[in-house]
Amino acid sequence: MDQDIPFNPWVERMRCTPTTIARLKDLLQQEPLRAYLRPRETEDGLTFTLREAILTAAKPRG
């Protein structure tokens, strides 16, 4: 399941410094993150996509 994450609100929630924000933007444009997170500009600014999964399991009895 894919979840689009707006970059600016995310770095604000993470309390990133301006230096960290610049580094993260740079890293998003480099492989392998560019292919995996698919950063792009939208009308809301820079956005990236997280791939998420929900796993369920049963604990073995015994």
Side-chain angles (χ1 to χ4, degrees):
M1 157 173 33
D2 288 349
Q3 180 180 4
D4 291 339
I5 308 291
F7 182 81
N8 288 331
W10 181 76
V11 294
E12 287 174 14
R13 284 192 308 276
M14 298 300 116
R15 299 182 185 149
C16 295
T17 65
T19 302
T20 300
I21 293 169
R23 180 72 176 128
L24 288 169
K25 284 182 178 181
D26 183 51
L27 288 171
L28 280 173
Q29 299 307 318
Q30 298 177 33
E31 296 300 339
L33 288 182
R34 184 174 62 180
Y36 184 72
L37 296 177
R38 303 186 317 258
R40 64 209 170 275
E41 287 293 331
T42 67
E43 60 188 41
D44 295 326
L46 181 60
T47 298
F48 60 94
T49 301
L50 289 179
R51 294 179 185 168
E52 298 179 332
I54 299 173
L55 304 174
T56 61
K59 184 176 180 179
R61 294 181 189 197

